[in-house]
Amino acid sequence: MQVNIPLKKTVDNSYDITIDELSKHHFDTKVAIVTNPKVAGLHLGYLLSKISAKELYIITVPDGEEYKNQKSVDTILESLFNHRFNRKSLLIAFGGGVIGDMTGYVSSIYQRGIDFIQIPTTLLSQVDASVGGKTGMNNSYGKNLVGAFHQPRGVYIDPRFLSTLASREFGAGVAEIVKMAVTFNKEFFEFLESADLTTPSILQEAIKQAVQTKADVVSQDEKEHGIRAALNYGHTFGHVIESETKYKKYLHGEAVAIGMVMANDTSVKMGIMSEDEALRVKNLLEKYNLPVTYSISDVDSFYEAFFLDKKSSDSSITFILPVGLGDVKITDECERGLITDVLKRFGKN
Ligand SMILES: NC(=O)c1ccc[n+]([C@@H]2O[C@H](COP(=O)([O-])OP(=O)(O)OC[C@H]3O[C@@H](n4cnc5c(N)ncnc54)[C@H](O)[C@@H]3O)[C@@H](O)[C@H]2O)c1
């Protein structure tokens, strides 16, 4: 015997991403702003001058990637239960990617899913993490291994928050901007080469183009069955660098910058990117003081660590390799010898 549940349906998860000074919003429902003490200290006053609600609560969790965990998720959940949030209530993620990912995750599980809004405050979260609905947290097995796809109801990007960002954090965001340009948009890459992102109007244009690029990719492949994986360019190498340096030496975006240079070297060796193109990417990263070299102490253990990557399987590793500028190839057919050759020479020429 068989019973069929007809569940074929079209879901419209579309939403707008506004890049501008935050306008005033009133919500006729219970709202919780989830943030951390640092962001709250710097910008909560401004946010509260713009956001009002029938009932408004502030939930803070400790600052840092090490707190993107179950304990912080429980803190947020408990507060929602205590304040009797219901399925019409709304969460607002107010902070960098850590706050955004966790708030999104909680909103995906609280009473099986409620709405949330992203108000990202770092460059990395404005151009990347707040867009596309990947939510999650870390656990002892690794980063972002628990989570859900849950799209926000809207994203409000106000570049004014970036005025208080530390310069290394700014650079980490630039790395993700460069990532979007190299993989998908040659014109955008050329714009970045001639631009000075420390000029506010130019930065706003770059944020818009990065977000547009990511939005186009996500709308083609929301759940990363194909092309969205290209946004992991630089990450396969970068994750190993982060893990080898115990997440202490480099910010994520900095490790990705080195990883992009490694991926480019691989593309050059495969003949799908010219040396000149690879040099242009390196120069652009260096312009924002991003690291582009790394000393590999043991090439074989570096290679073995690729297998821990989420995109890899037991027997193959997925590499995201640029094809010139503005195009990309996702492949799990790179020979071990080719990669270790690139790694052996890395930083030595
Ligand atoms: N969901 C996605 O698609 C996606 C994509 C990329 C990265 N991520 C996740 O994003 C996280 C990294 O995000 P991040 O780089 O924003 O890190 P983060 O959230 O830790 O923020 C970096 C630091 O900047 C501080 N900060 C935030 N806004 C500030 C401001 N306006 N002024 C001064 N300081 C400010 C934060 O408190 C923190 O100390 C990682 O956990 C990563 O996994 C998610």
Side-chain angles (χ1 to χ4, degrees):
M1 253 192 291
Q2 231 173 16
V3 177
N4 178 257
I5 313 182
L7 289 174
K8 230 182 202 176
K9 57 188 170 197
T10 311
V11 183
D12 186 358
N13 278 337
S14 313
Y15 54 95
D16 288 330
I17 300 159
T18 309
I19 304 157
D20 220 333
E21 189 186 320
L22 191 59
S23 50
K24 293 202 172 192
H25 293 268
H26 178 79
F27 300 98
D28 204 14
T29 174
K30 289 188 191 194
V31 173
I33 296 169
V34 181
T35 187
N36 70 36
K38 187 176 190 177
V39 175
L42 291 166
H43 299 294
L44 187 59
Y46 172 74
L47 186 69
L48 292 177
S49 73
K50 304 282 187 176
I51 302 281
S52 60
K54 195 166 155 204
E55 284 178 44
L56 185 61
Y57 300 93
I58 314 294
I59 304 172
T60 50
V61 291
D63 184 16
E65 183 73 37
E66 66 271 38
Y67 298 104
K68 188 176 153 183
N69 58 18
Q70 186 67 53
K71 190 155 181 253
S72 300
V73 165
D74 285 340
T75 302
I76 304 168
L77 285 171
E78 269 164 36
S79 184
L80 302 183
F81 286 118
N82 285 334
H83 296 305
R84 296 170 187 267
F85 270 51
N86 58 44
R87 298 190 79 174
K88 294 207 169 98
S89 305
L90 175 78
L91 299 190
I92 296 179
F94 185 51
V98 166
I99 290 290
D101 278 11
M102 261 193 310
T103 308
Y105 176 53
V106 170
S107 66
S108 79
I109 56 174
Y110 185 77
Q111 296 190 359
R112 299 205 176 87
I114 61 173
D115 281 350
F116 84 114
I117 282 175
Q118 291 270 19
I119 304 186
T121 61
T122 61
L123 183 56
L124 185 141
S125 58
Q126 294 195 343
V127 297
D128 195 355
S130 65
V131 177
K134 274 194 192 176
T135 74
M137 62 169 194
N138 309 327
N139 66 12
S140 59
Y141 292 89
K143 282 183 68 177
N144 299 324
L145 293 180
V146 176
F149 285 94
H150 187 60
Q151 299 294 343
R153 192 165 101 190
V155 183
Y156 296 94
I157 297 174
D158 185 338
R160 79 172 268 146
F161 295 125
L162 305 180
S163 63
T164 54
L165 204 58
S167 64
R168 276 184 70 195
E169 296 289 354
F170 185 84
V174 172
E176 303 285 4
I177 294 178
V178 172
K179 171 189 83 176
M180 314 276 184
V182 174
T183 44
F184 288 106
N185 193 333
K186 185 173 184 187
E187 252 174 57
F188 183 28
F189 184 85
E190 284 164 354
F191 166 83
L192 292 173
E193 279 183 310
S194 62
D196 174 5
L197 295 179
T198 57
T199 305
S201 57
I202 292 177
L203 179 61
Q204 184 154 343
E205 175 60 26
I207 294 172
K208 193 192 104 195
Q209 293 212 39
V211 166
Q212 183 67 62
T213 305
K214 179 151 184 190
D216 289 345
V217 173
V218 170
S219 66
Q220 289 172 58
D221 177 23
E222 185 186 354
K223 304 233 163 128
E224 198 169 310
H225 297 303
I227 191 70
R228 186 169 179 177
L231 294 175
N232 292 309
Y233 161 52
H235 288 62
T236 316
F237 296 96
H239 285 152
V240 179
I241 294 169
E242 281 184 290
S243 137
E244 278 198 347
T245 52
K246 313 251 177 301
Y247 297 93
K248 288 198 181 350
K249 185 165 180 188
Y250 299 107
L251 298 175
H252 173 70
E254 293 174 333
V256 167
I258 303 170
M260 290 193 283
V261 178
M262 288 178 168
N264 296 350
D265 282 5
T266 312
S267 286
V268 170
K269 195 159 174 67
M270 290 173 70
I272 56 174
M273 184 183 221
S274 72
E275 284 191 16
D276 177 58
E277 287 164 333
L279 185 64
R280 284 168 66 188
V281 178
K282 200 192 258 185
N283 288 342
L284 181 55
L285 296 169
E286 283 186 308
K287 188 165 133 190
Y288 294 96
N289 297 320
L290 283 157
V292 292
T293 57
Y294 176 75
S295 160
I296 301 174
S297 51
D298 181 340
V299 165
D300 287 316
S301 75
F302 194 100
Y303 187 87
E304 288 303 322
F306 286 137
F307 289 104
L308 301 174
D309 192 88
K310 276 204 290 298
K311 295 177 302 304
S312 301
S313 69
D314 287 346
S315 57
S316 70
I317 304 162
T318 305
F319 288 100
I320 318 295
L321 302 174
V323 178
L325 294 167
D327 197 6
V328 69
K329 171 185 170 104
I330 303 172
T331 175
D332 53 9
E333 284 171 2
C334 282
E335 304 246 323
R336 181 178 178 128
L338 184 138
I339 300 293
T340 50
D341 239 34
V342 169
L343 296 176
K344 271 182 205 150
R345 277 196 244 157
F346 192 77
K348 295 195 174 67
N349 43 16

